[in-house]
Amino acid sequence: AQKVTQAQTEISVVEKEDVTLDCVYETRDTTYYLFWYKQPPSGELVFLIRRNSFDEQNEISGRYSWNFQKSTSSFNFTITASQVVDSAVYFCALMAYSGAGSYQLTFGKGTKLSVIP
Amino acid sequence: NAGVMQNPRHLVRRRGQEARLRCSPMKGHSHVYWYRQLPEEGLKFMVYLQKENIIDESGMPKERFSAEFPKEGPSILRIQQVVRGDSAAYFCASSSDRGSGNTIYFGEGSWLTVV
């Protein structure tokens, strides 16, 4: 069975601070994919990044960066110089074979980030 | 807008009525997924469909819920005889392939309120 844990339920930071959102996953599959999605107050789910289990290179996209460590089963997300528009719920998700004919996304419970001006 | 389109965005139903949620996948995508976001429970997989086929419905409640993705037209998630516990956000997602290694893009969600 797959499991994703986002231990931080809510985080508040002051604008321009850096913040790291933690994600720990569990799977027995050797091939899997990790995702981050953002859910702003308007409710839609916005895709941020996808990584596969064979690629442990860290990735940077503007103020966003992701640190994938297979040894600790973690896929953490850092926002540098946070802005008020970053306020949202962030979901980490794991895609692996479900055993029922498809690859399913298993989501963590999300971390609510509030950036205070 | 070439993204995943869901409608209605908000739907209110009385207990016992039927709810129909529609999803048009992203252009070029033939794989559709439905997820449900219940308060305090996070997002849970419901069903995975390809055109005219249900591939995996392991997350669907056994009664009152059904899904289809016809050859023509959008995918439909149908909830019969709704109850208060069905109140949730229902997200549709699509991908260009089976999901293995492909990015899954989500729609804006349909918020169902049962009164």
Side-chain angles (χ1 to χ4, degrees):
Chain A
Q2 336 291 349
K3 186 178 178 183
V4 176
T5 301
Q6 294 181 256
Q8 304 148 309
T9 307
E10 291 192 42
I11 300 177
S12 288
V13 298
V14 177
E15 201 170 19
K16 297 185 183 174
E17 286 184 347
D18 299 347
V19 58
T20 295
L21 311 182
D22 297 333
C23 173
V24 174
Y25 62 92
E26 295 176 30
T27 181
R28 290 181 183 169
D29 288 14
T30 54
T31 301
Y32 53 88
Y33 302 84
L34 295 163
F35 294 75
W36 277 93
Y37 289 89
K38 174 183 179 180
Q39 188 174 37
S42 48
E44 70 271 26
L45 279 167
V46 179
F47 165 77
L48 294 178
I49 189 172
R50 183 195 82 214
R51 304 296 285 176
N52 73 54
S53 52
F54 299 110
D55 183 2
E56 287 193 69
Q57 265 193 323
N58 292 331
E59 182 152 342
I60 298 174
S61 175
R63 295 183 297 106
Y64 294 171
S65 62
W66 291 269
N67 180 261
F68 177 26
Q69 300 230 338
K70 216 167 173 179
S71 59
T72 55
S73 297
S74 65
F75 186 43
N76 296 338
F77 173 31
T78 297
I79 302 174
T80 303
S82 60
Q83 300 176 1
V84 173
V85 293
D86 297 327
S87 297
V89 180
Y90 290 87
F91 291 97
C92 179
L94 166 70
M95 177 186 284
Y97 186 63
S98 71
S102 74
Y103 286 78
Q104 292 178 14
L105 277 170
T106 299
F107 283 84
K109 294 207 169 177
T111 296
K112 183 177 180 181
L113 174 65
S114 299
V115 181
I116 303 162
Chain B
N1 186 346
V4 179
M5 304 299 292
Q6 288 189 247
N7 68 83
R9 191 82 199 273
H10 298 278
L11 181 65
V12 178
R13 285 288 178 265
R14 296 186 184 279
R15 280 179 295 170
Q17 290 185 320
E18 178 179 288
R20 281 190 182 226
L21 309 177
R22 287 175 290 279
C23 169
S24 295
M26 194 175 278
K27 190 176 180 180
H29 287 188
S30 58
H31 300 252
V32 165
Y33 312 78
W34 286 94
Y35 283 76
R36 177 165 67 171
Q37 186 175 29
L38 286 163
E40 311 301 325
E41 284 195 24
L43 286 140
K44 303 288 187 188
F45 169 82
M46 298 181 75
V47 63
Y48 161 51
L49 311 102
Q50 295 177 26
K51 285 283 187 182
E52 300 184 278
N53 285 306
I54 296 175
I55 305 301
D56 180 359
E57 56 182 349
S58 57
M60 285 274 271
K62 293 288 184 279
E63 297 177 350
R64 301 186 299 105
F65 284 73
S66 62
E68 62 177 13
F69 188 17
K71 189 176 179 182
E72 301 291 337
S75 174
I76 307 284
L77 179 67
R78 183 182 177 206
I79 311 171
Q80 295 178 288
Q81 300 174 325
V82 296
V83 301
R84 287 235 170 94
D86 297 332
S87 295
Y90 292 83
F91 285 92
C92 173
S94 72
S95 67
S96 59
D97 202 336
R98 199 164 155 241
S100 166
N102 285 280
T103 297
I104 294 182
Y105 294 94
F106 284 83
E108 294 185 329
S110 290
W111 268 257
L112 171 66
T113 302
V114 180
V115 297

